[in-house]
Amino acid sequence: MMIPPALVLAALALLAACKEQRQQLGQALSGKPPVIAGSLEGAWQVADLNGGGAPANIAILFDPGDQNSSRVTGTSGCNRFAGNWRQDGAALSLGPLASTRRLCADAVMDTERRLLSVLASAARVTYLPGGDAVLSAADGRKLTLRRPPTP
């Protein structure tokens, strides 16, 4: 019996969309506890923007501040941004975010727009076994962050 190519492609797409869940399941099956908690505090680099890879020149700093004034700042490819953030377990809220208004190449501006949109919409954060943080919006868009290498 031949499996229709469309069914194979759909199954592969589903597997790719579930990468985070597969990694956590693999961690649990290996006898190690899954990574379910962590903190965004500190410096990060964008490892992936909604499945499109790692854009250049993007860095994010989550400053813990105090209970009422935690700040997020960063570079979004062309401009700098800043705003408020709060994390309560896996629940996350960012914003409002403000940004400088430099003009750059269209492709850089498009990446920047997508990045800021995902950041402003992020409602959940999960952590992968390797330490990456995945910020997820309710509509399924994701931003994967990785700690920068230490010098």
Side-chain angles (χ1 to χ4, degrees), residues 23-151:
Q23 287 176 329
Q24 289 184 359
L25 177 61
Q27 185 82 0
L29 292 175
S30 71
K32 300 175 190 171
V35 179
I36 56 173
S39 174
L40 286 172
E41 292 177 11
W44 296 89
Q45 294 176 329
V46 174
D48 183 73
L49 176 57
N50 204 34
N57 302 320
I58 297 179
I60 302 173
L61 176 65
F62 290 91
D63 182 357
D66 62 32
Q67 190 173 11
N68 297 317
S69 66
S70 298
R71 300 285 295 165
V72 60
T73 58
T75 57
S76 50
C78 178
N79 289 286
R80 298 193 50 74
F81 67 90
N84 297 319
W85 75 284
R86 181 177 305 245
Q87 179 183 353
D88 184 9
L92 179 66
S93 64
L94 288 115
L97 297 175
S99 176
T100 58
R101 294 182 173 249
R102 290 181 49 207
L103 186 61
C104 292
D106 289 343
V108 174
M109 296 303 293
D110 181 58
T111 298
E112 183 172 276
R113 179 191 54 75
R114 289 183 294 120
L115 170 80
L116 293 175
S117 176
V118 174
L119 272 175
S121 301
R124 177 177 163 82
V125 59
T126 55
Y127 298 90
L128 301 178
D132 291 356
V134 179
L135 283 56
S136 303
D139 63 5
R141 292 176 296 154
K142 294 184 180 192
L143 179 66
T144 303
L145 304 177
R146 181 170 293 142
R147 297 284 183 188
T150 53

